[in-house]
Amino acid sequence: MSYTKEDVRRYHSLPRPGKIEVMTSKKAVSQDDLTLAYSPGVADACRDIKADPSMAEKLTGRGNLVAVVTNGTAVLGLGNIGPLAGKPVMEGKSMLFKLFADVDAFDIELDCTDPERLIDIVKALEPTFGGINLEDIRGPECFHIETELQKAMNIPVFHDDQHGTAVITGAALMNASRITGRAVEDMKAVVMGAGAAGMACARFYAAMGVKAENISMFDIKGLIHKGRTDLSDVQMTFAQEEPAPGSSIDDTLYAALKGANLFLGLSGPGTLKADMLKGMAESPVIFACANPVPEIGYEEAKAVRPDAIMGTGRSDYPNQVNNVSGFPFIFRGALDVRAGKINEAMKIAAARALADLALEPVPDDVRAAYHGRNFSFGPEYIIPMPLDPRIIEWVAPAVAMAALESGVARGSIADIGGSVEAYREILRKRMAAARARSLAHCESYMK
């Protein structure tokens, strides 16, 4: 859709400023209600939690509450705009948690660029939240921050800029492999953008089976190789042995793309030239994810390589790579079995579930949400559309089961109904009720 700045301002400011608010979940219309909700009755709930901390999940909203935390140092494509200017994005993220998975989320913007101080602040939030979603924190600090918080905290800590993109593109890559008949283990990949998302995707692809030596990564200075002295330890993981031939980034990118099966762009508009695609292998996979303008346009890429399987971050072209297809449902599954972390097994399970869902017939309500577009598994449809309501029924159970099987869950299968099918039914009913409440609440503002 096209929009103006005034449309955006109107949406964000009316009928009340912002995109989220706090609502009560218990009635409080009588003295008896207040006695139970606050003084003196609340003291009994406090004593129960003091005696058994796990009771906090049953007596408070902590088990369904996620903090969306940023310091505003890498907000969307806007860069280091600071925590206050980043708040609309974090409110939007919190809104998506609620709309897509009925996860309560609250945005926390921290005026803090010192990684160690930020780690200490977030660690101190653990009594309040059941999970931490780190967002829009620049690299390479984001790697250290997430790693240290995962070590120190007993709740899931997930940097979505890294892992959300990895899960979605990983799912798309699984299905591209199905379509082309080319094993992931045999693929040669080129990643343009060696920041948080690029590094996480490379690591995720390696976990899927892509050989590290077959992943060529580029940053703003060119190919990442072992002769460079300006790289972080994380970036060195995928450093090539030798510099690529050529005197410019374009030259080295041309060389790296010869025979490549996959291009992943997480950089900026126009960084991939059409001529560069000519040397790629048969049926190349091109994920040009820069937003809102990708590294190469869909029509431009298809004109040169009509055999390409292409995805972008845009909803007006096939195969939209959008993190909203991942993070709400990953947290939903993790929270429901009280996982202490989101590990590699859970992320791979999420990607596989997304990939498998794309093989299923697409119901009419999903087609209607996209103006009647026709979807069937193939090069133009390798991942489910973000507005597909079935995603939660596929991804959350896959994540929950992976958490249980890998030993990071404090709960049991009984907490999710005793079986995957029972859990899917619980989720179906939960989301129907949540959508009805949300719609009624929003409509009340319009009266």
Side-chain angles (χ1 to χ4, degrees), residues 333-345:
L335 292 172
D336 286 345
V337 294
R338 291 181 287 130
K341 63 176 64 177
I342 295 171
N343 60 18
E344 207 67 23

Side-chain angles (χ1 to χ4, degrees), residues 3-81:
Y3 62 88
T4 66
K5 287 184 178 180
E6 189 54 40
D7 291 331
V8 175
R9 292 182 182 121
R10 187 181 303 111
Y11 179 87
H12 283 78
S13 64
L14 298 174
R16 58 176 284 163
K19 298 191 288 286
I20 60 172
E21 66 174 314
V22 175
M23 296 289 294
T24 60
S25 60
K26 304 291 187 295
K27 68 182 181 70
V29 296
S30 69
Q31 180 182 348
D32 291 344
D33 294 336
L34 291 179
T35 296
L36 295 172
Y38 200 56
S39 181
V42 73
D44 286 329
C46 296
R47 292 187 189 101
D48 285 345
I49 295 170
K50 176 64 176 174
D52 179 3
S54 70
M55 288 295 290
E57 314 300 319
K58 297 178 180 179
L59 299 177
T60 77
R62 179 178 182 265
N64 193 52
L65 184 61
V66 169
V68 179
V69 180
T70 192
N71 62 1
T73 52
V75 180
L76 298 179
L78 303 173
N80 185 3
I81 61 173

Side-chain angles (χ1 to χ4, degrees), residues 93 134-147 150 158-169 195-204 234 266 323 347:
K93 194 87 174 192
L134 300 174
E135 192 76 18
D136 291 349
I137 299 172
R138 69 187 172 199
E141 294 98 319
C142 62
F143 304 119
H144 172 65
I145 289 168
E146 184 191 44
T147 299
Q150 287 173 337
F158 185 85
H159 186 202
D160 188 47
D161 301 312
Q162 294 185 54
H163 310 299
T165 307
V167 167
I168 308 308
T169 60
M199 292 305 306
C201 287
R203 289 190 290 191
F204 194 70
V234 178
L266 295 159
N323 286 16
K347 289 181 279 185

Side-chain angles (χ1 to χ4, degrees), residues 44-220:
D44 286 329
C46 296
R47 292 187 189 101
D48 285 345
I49 295 170
K50 176 64 176 174
D52 179 3
S54 70
M55 288 295 290
E57 314 300 319
K58 297 178 180 179
L59 299 177
T60 77
R62 179 178 182 265
N64 193 52
L65 184 61
V66 169
V68 179
V69 180
T70 192
N71 62 1
T73 52
V75 180
L76 298 179
L78 303 173
N80 185 3
I81 61 173
L84 185 59
K87 188 174 179 66
V89 179
M90 305 311 129
E91 281 193 352
K93 194 87 174 192
S94 300
M95 178 181 179
L96 296 177
F97 265 113
K98 189 64 176 177
L99 289 176
F100 283 88
D102 195 31
V103 172
D104 296 323
F106 205 83
D107 59 298
I108 296 180
E109 295 77 27
L110 298 175
D111 186 7
C112 175
T113 56
D114 175 22
E116 301 306 324
R117 181 164 173 255
L118 191 147
I119 289 168
D120 286 342
I121 292 170
V122 176
K123 277 164 51 178
L125 297 174
E126 186 165 346
T128 300
F129 295 97
I132 303 291
N133 182 107
L134 300 174
E135 192 76 18
D136 291 349
I137 299 172
R138 69 187 172 199
E141 294 98 319
C142 62
F143 304 119
H144 172 65
I145 289 168
E146 184 191 44
T147 299
E148 292 305 307
L149 287 174
Q150 287 173 337
K151 289 178 186 175
M153 302 183 80
N154 295 310
I155 57 175
V157 177
F158 185 85
H159 186 202
D160 188 47
D161 301 312
Q162 294 185 54
H163 310 299
T165 307
V167 167
I168 308 308
T169 60
L173 187 58
M174 288 176 186
N175 278 341
S177 173
R178 280 171 165 154
I179 292 168
T180 62
R182 186 186 301 121
V184 171
E185 293 82 358
D186 298 329
M187 289 188 180
K188 177 185 176 184
V190 175
V191 179
M192 186 69 176
M199 292 305 306
C201 287
R203 289 190 290 191
F204 194 70
Y205 301 162
M208 287 171 55
V210 179
K211 297 179 178 66
E213 60 267 26
N214 287 342
I215 300 175
S216 297
M217 297 198 69
F218 286 76
D219 64 6
I220 196 170

